[in-house]
Amino acid sequence: NELWVTRSHYFKPVKTPMFPEGLFKGKVAFITGGGTGLGAGMATMLSSLGAKVAIVSRNIEVLKNTADVISSKSKNEVLPIRCNVCSSESVRDAVSECIDVLGLPTIVINNAAGNFISPTVKLTKHAWDSIMAVILNGTINVTVDIGKRLIAARQGGAFLNMSTSYTLSGSAFTVPSACAKSAVESFTKSLAAEWCIYGLRFNCIQPGHVHTPGATAQLDPTGRFMHGKLNKLPLGRYGEVEEVANLACYLVSDYSSWMTGSIIRLDGGEFNFAAGSFNHLIENVSDEEWAMIANLIKNKRKS
Ligand code: HXC
């Protein structure tokens, strides 16, 4: 079906920042998993819009390299900090370093994640614990640490948590991730209610398929699992890092100051398309067949 193949031409990605230069001037952002993939993409855009950004992960060499690349373009400070988000002590030290060098972050993006595709019967306890620890404990550790400091300083702030579109449905073969990300969404909504009195907002993005090397290595190492996937995406293409970054910038900026507790899906329409009972017919029914079906229905009504 030609329409199916070519429709992505209508939906070309725009990769430039959609916000004015200097939007985040004077702001400090703290981004976990900021060395690669979506985290690096969000760090890049925030930095290009004027923020000072701390990027945080276990791999300091990767962080240093990313920080150099970003700051050489944006001319704004990017601070690499080694941190294991699973450890509250490590998070405490990383946040203290960020405060010492850049200042107290009022923008926090919990992006660090762990995931791999595997039958659930093959998972060891350690495997479960590892994924839950990075995604759920990591988000809690960072949020509670920075949240308490913001509350003590009477500073408002915007938190953004990264989830995934499959929390809505659950997902076979990525069960620990689906469970942990669902909990992150609940955490987001709960603190949006509890900490609004301190000027803190919490929102969440559920990205669909954005092909970063990290995610691909963990979820489709042979390249076979994504085969045919494009046909399940109504907009005919995968997402781009910058598209997620633009939404992220909106959610941590004052443009979204009337938004909290929101979980926003950005998945090329995949979730709705997969769920709708008759959506698959757009591929399978010709105009002639529709005419024939209309006649059948009308004639049946008359009889
Ligand atoms: C079975 C596995 C495994 C695999 C690891 N394990 N990979 N078991 N199949 N493919 C097991 C290990 O054997 C070990 O258990 C336990 O998991 C912990 O693994 P370690 O390597 O010791 O731990 P660690 O170095 O901390 O690694 C954590 C991790 C890893 C979560 C397992 O994958 C990681 O750090 N990933 C970060 C990057 C990432 O995952 N990015 C993708 C996110 S994309 P035993 O019992 O043997 O000790 C994403 C979005 C999806 O989530 C959205 C799509 C729409």
Side-chain angles (χ1 to χ4, degrees):
N1 179 326
E2 199 181 325
L3 196 62
W4 187 264
V5 176
T6 59
R7 72 202 184 287
S8 66
H9 293 194
Y10 292 110
F11 308 114
K12 290 205 172 94
V14 180
K15 298 191 181 188
T16 47
M18 65 185 187
F19 290 101
E21 245 176 72
L23 175 68
F24 295 114
K25 206 165 168 38
K27 302 263 188 190
V28 176
F30 188 94
I31 305 179
T32 68
T36 56
L38 291 182
M42 292 186 282
T44 302
M45 203 172 280
L46 279 157
S47 180
S48 76
L49 294 170
K52 290 182 194 169
V53 181
I55 52 174
V56 173
S57 81
R58 290 182 298 183
N59 192 331
I60 192 70
E61 293 313 318
V62 168
L63 288 174
K64 280 181 182 163
N65 185 47
T66 302
D68 286 347
V69 171
I70 296 175
S71 60
S72 67
K73 276 198 206 137
S74 71
K75 309 296 174 213
N76 289 314
E77 198 168 351
V78 180
L79 177 68
I81 307 177
R82 189 204 304 270
C83 170
N84 182 351
V85 293
C86 304
S87 153
S88 52
E89 291 78 22
S90 179
V91 167
R92 180 198 58 207
D93 294 347
V95 175
S96 294
E97 186 178 338
C98 174
I99 292 170
D100 288 346
V101 181
L102 302 180
L104 180 60
T106 58
I107 293 171
V108 181
I109 303 183
N110 285 302
N111 166 75
N115 201 0
F116 52 79
I117 198 148
S118 171
T120 305
V121 291
K122 305 276 186 207
L123 295 174
T124 63
K125 175 162 184 341
H126 186 210
W128 269 97
D129 290 348
S130 301
I131 294 172
M132 299 301 284
V134 180
I135 296 176
L136 181 55
N137 300 357
T139 300
I140 292 171
N141 288 339
V142 170
T143 304
V144 171
D145 188 291
I146 299 179
K148 282 181 176 173
R149 298 187 203 227
L150 287 168
I151 291 166
R154 295 178 186 274
Q155 279 269 315
F159 289 76
L160 174 63
N161 297 330
M162 302 306 287
S163 179
T164 152
S165 53
Y166 57 57
T167 56
L168 295 157
S169 51
S171 177
F173 307 115
T174 53
V175 176
S177 165
C179 296
K181 294 285 195 184
S182 295
V184 163
E185 292 181 9
S186 189
F187 181 67
T188 306
K189 291 182 276 191
S190 303
L191 279 190
E194 190 174 322
W195 283 1
C196 61
I197 51 172
Y198 303 119
L200 302 175
R201 297 189 297 115
F202 297 83
N203 292 295
C204 190
I205 301 179
Q206 300 170 319
H209 288 279
V210 179
H211 281 194
T212 60
T216 303
Q218 300 292 100
L219 299 171
D220 191 17
T222 64
R224 190 165 80 79
F225 300 154
M226 283 300 116
H227 188 73
K229 191 76 192 171
L230 277 180
N231 282 356
K232 308 269 187 258
L233 301 178
L235 304 187
R237 65 172 176 85
Y238 300 115
E240 299 287 342
V241 169
E242 293 82 358
E243 294 179 290
V244 176
N246 262 320
L247 178 58
C249 285
Y250 170 69
L251 292 172
V252 298
S253 77
D254 292 342
Y255 284 101
S256 65
S257 62
W258 199 50
M259 184 181 286
T260 194
S262 292
I263 313 290
I264 299 172
R265 185 163 44 81
L266 182 62
D267 72 341
E270 180 186 12
F271 182 81
N272 274 353
F273 185 78
S277 300
F278 296 102
N279 291 353
H280 61 293
L281 299 188
I282 66 167
E283 265 184 292
N284 297 330
V285 185
S286 65
D287 286 348
E288 294 75 27
E289 209 177 342
W290 277 124
M292 185 264 289
I293 287 167
N295 281 331
L296 279 175
I297 295 170
K298 285 176 195 165
N299 290 338
K300 183 80 184 162
R301 223 184 284 138
K302 281 182 206 149
S303 65

